[in-house]
Amino acid sequence: MVDIATRVYNHSWKIDPIVRSVLDTDFYKLLMGQTIYRRHRGVDVTFGVVNRTHRVRLADIIDLGELREQLDHVRTLRLSRGESTWLRGNTFYGKRQMFSADFVGWLEGFRFPEYELREVDGQYELTFHGPWIETTMWEIPALAILNELRSRGVTRGMGKFELEVLYARGMSRVWEKIERLQRLPGLSISDFGTRRRHGFLWQDWCVQAMQEGLGDAFLGTSNCLIALRREVEAIGTNAHELPMVYTALAGDEQDMLEAPYRVLSDWQEDYQGNLLVVLPDTYGTTRFLAHAPDWVSGWTGIRIDSKDPIEGGEEACRFWLSRGEDPREKLTIFSDGLDIEMIERVHAHFAGRMRIGFGWGTLLTNDFRGLAPGGLLDPISVVCKVISADGRPTVKLSDNPTKATGPRREVERYQRVFDLDARVPQPVLV
């Protein structure tokens, strides 16, 4: 096992680049990428990074030159022969050849496009513009780079023994959580922590700890490169990006209302009955479920992402019952800002009433809260979202208005179109 403290103390970015492979990304990026490749290659999209934790001035911690160096390194990456073979021949979710030959062929020739970077009021304004199929690939690497450069900036001045103690405490914290998870019968949990990880080596360590500590209860990781290396399942389906772009491109208000369901129709066709987990909260879960076509209730399950987990799970149960479905046969994935206490609470509340899955993210792969002076390693909420499609602004409303994105007037217009009632803002930790 890697001695992380020594590696950090001696680190050279040429030995430990933050992003090591085109596959050092989340599985859902490749799945969504295939749908985009098949259906929307001609759409021009802009992505932008936003640090929602305004008190942390990233430009004061991360050197501009280092940031450019890491971004430029990503632009040199290409899919290796072994990685291509893994995509072409591996079984994902029980299905061989999840990715078509033409999409993998495109990915083999893919290079990350250019970026735009500037400093504004202590934050970095980082944007990516171009064909949707290319710009979408920047989201995960950009976030991983910013988070790990922050970690490196904070730890750079620490001595070897201080680093050893820091990582020993971090490991102890993760293992104590795993020991509590061991007590939950029928647990199903995955690593969803790539985007805001402390670092690649740390995420890899966390995955190995979950493998050993939880056995079959650990389903896998969202990170494709770690899944390949550790021979675990690659986990993921889709994200808010698809309905945001589909809706932005809609012709009129009725078309806007239908766009989120059109996403599911295309997805169902592309994946032939696999990966059928609904993400309903882009423009409000309650309205989405109330107007969902009957065929949506036949999908495998639902992911609760921005609503209170208990409230969201109960709403999913009511939806299935109203459509004549048995919630006990349905899968509900909880994934928003989870930590051990919430996992225990949700598990106790819904055990036996539905199939439960957990996607454990930032507070698995970046929980150094209180372990560095002044909370300098506490996780932050930094996101990379699509902000326009073919020149039209994109909007996400969310069940939590704190997570809403888009120009104010467009957000207000979408709230009217989707008849979204006033929502109570909830704090966002990660």
Side-chain angles (χ1 to χ4, degrees):
M1 185 172 292
V2 172
D3 181 347
I4 297 177
T6 298
R7 192 81 154 254
V8 170
Y9 183 73
N10 295 326
H11 97 263
S12 161
W13 83 263
K14 293 181 180 179
I15 297 174
D16 280 325
I18 291 173
V19 178
R20 297 147 195 261
S21 164
V22 174
L23 290 188
D24 189 5
T25 192
D26 280 338
F27 191 50
Y28 76 84
K29 270 295 158 184
L30 301 185
L31 294 168
M32 290 196 303
Q34 181 164 245
T35 285
I36 295 165
Y37 174 80
R38 288 174 175 173
R39 299 175 180 274
H40 303 287
R41 270 180 278 179
V43 175
D44 278 338
V45 162
T46 300
F47 280 78
V49 171
V50 175
N51 178 15
R52 296 190 295 210
T53 310
H54 304 296
R55 60 179 173 77
V56 177
R57 294 167 55 90
L58 290 177
D60 294 345
I61 302 170
I62 298 171
D63 177 75
L64 177 62
E66 283 190 284
L67 178 53
R68 287 192 182 279
E69 198 170 36
Q70 293 289 344
L71 293 168
D72 289 342
H73 171 71
V74 170
R75 299 195 64 216
T76 70
L77 297 174
R78 61 183 300 170
L79 204 67
S80 73
R81 181 175 298 178
E83 291 166 346
S84 176
T85 299
W86 182 73
L87 288 173
R88 290 179 184 273
N90 197 43
T91 298
F92 300 101
Y93 286 91
K95 176 179 172 60
R96 291 189 66 82
Q97 296 181 330
M98 180 73 77
F99 299 102
S100 64
D102 59 338
F103 175 68
V104 177
W106 172 85
L107 194 61
E108 288 169 340
F110 168 70
R111 301 293 182 277
F112 284 84
E114 294 181 357
Y115 60 87
E116 296 180 11
L117 174 65
R118 66 188 185 118
E119 180 185 340
V120 180
D121 297 329
Q123 303 293 347
Y124 284 117
E125 191 174 275
L126 177 58
T127 55
F128 313 94
H129 177 77
W132 188 10
I133 184 58
E134 296 181 5
T135 53
T136 189
M137 297 294 289
W138 262 119
E139 179 192 356
I140 308 302
L143 294 175
I145 286 169
L146 286 167
N147 278 285
E148 187 161 350
L149 280 179
R150 175 177 176 248
S151 300
R152 292 184 180 191
V154 172
T155 58
R156 182 168 288 120
M158 294 183 178
K160 185 175 181 180
F161 289 101
E162 187 177 8
L163 286 168
E164 287 181 350
V165 171
L166 171 72
Y167 285 105
R169 288 172 173 167
M171 290 175 179
S172 178
R173 175 172 290 178
V174 171
W175 193 253
E176 287 171 2
K177 294 179 183 183
I178 289 173
E179 289 179 323
R180 289 170 66 173
L181 292 174
Q182 290 170 345
R183 298 195 285 268
L184 302 183
L187 176 70
S188 295
I189 192 165
S190 304
D191 159 43
F192 276 19
T194 300
R195 294 184 302 159
R196 301 192 191 106
R197 66 193 183 195
H198 174 80
F200 174 84
L201 296 177
W202 184 252
Q203 183 184 14
D204 188 41
W205 184 90
C206 290
V207 166
Q208 293 177 75
M210 296 273 278
Q211 282 183 276
E212 180 175 315
L214 297 178
D216 291 341
F218 177 60
L219 300 187
T221 174
S222 65
N223 187 286
C224 298
L225 182 61
I226 295 175
L228 185 161
R229 291 184 175 182
R230 300 299 167 196
E231 297 183 339
V232 298
E233 292 287 340
I235 302 293
T237 53
N238 53 61
H240 302 103
E241 173 186 340
L242 290 176
M244 289 173 70
V245 173
Y246 274 52
T247 308
L249 297 176
D252 55 32
E253 291 186 358
Q254 184 59 39
D255 202 22
M256 290 173 66
L257 292 171
E258 294 172 358
Y261 308 116
R262 197 156 55 247
V263 170
L264 302 188
S265 178
D266 287 352
W267 188 266
Q268 186 169 247
E269 183 177 320
D270 286 350
Y271 289 104
Q272 303 169 355
N274 291 281
L275 307 170
L276 301 185
V277 175
V278 180
L279 179 62
D281 68 317
T282 309
Y283 304 116
T285 295
T286 299
R287 190 194 188 287
F288 179 95
L289 295 179
H291 296 275
D294 285 339
W295 53 264
V296 173
S297 61
W299 276 37
T300 304
I302 191 170
R303 179 156 72 94
I304 308 299
D305 188 62
S306 59
K307 181 166 278 193
D308 173 83
I310 302 297
E311 181 184 346
E314 291 290 352
E315 188 169 23
C317 283
R318 292 193 298 271
F319 166 70
W320 286 317
L321 288 169
S322 73
R323 301 297 180 95
E325 301 284 343
D326 185 350
R328 292 173 298 180
E329 297 178 357
K330 296 296 185 177
L331 171 66
T332 304
I333 299 174
F334 299 90
S335 62
D336 184 29
L338 295 179
D339 203 9
I340 183 64
E341 292 81 7
M342 181 57 74
I343 293 172
E344 291 171 332
R345 180 182 166 215
V346 170
H347 186 275
H349 187 88
F350 290 111
R353 298 177 57 197
M354 60 172 63
R355 295 162 53 207
I356 306 169
F358 296 101
W360 195 10
T362 307
L363 295 178
L364 167 65
T365 62
N366 200 2
D367 188 5
F368 286 78
R369 290 174 292 179
L371 299 185
L376 291 177
L377 283 179
D378 291 9
I380 62 174
S381 180
V382 56
V383 296
C384 182
K385 294 292 185 183
V386 57
I387 57 179
S388 71
D390 279 351
R392 301 181 181 185
T394 55
V395 171
K396 175 188 172 188
L397 297 180
S398 181
D399 289 321
N400 179 0
T402 306
K403 290 187 170 185
T405 64
R408 181 177 61 83
R409 287 188 178 181
E410 282 297 292
V411 168
E412 292 171 352
R413 182 170 77 92
Y414 272 62
Q415 287 174 330
R416 176 183 59 78
V417 170
F418 285 92
D419 192 24
L420 198 61
D421 295 332
R423 295 150 296 150
V424 178
Q426 301 295 325
V428 177
L429 173 60
V430 292

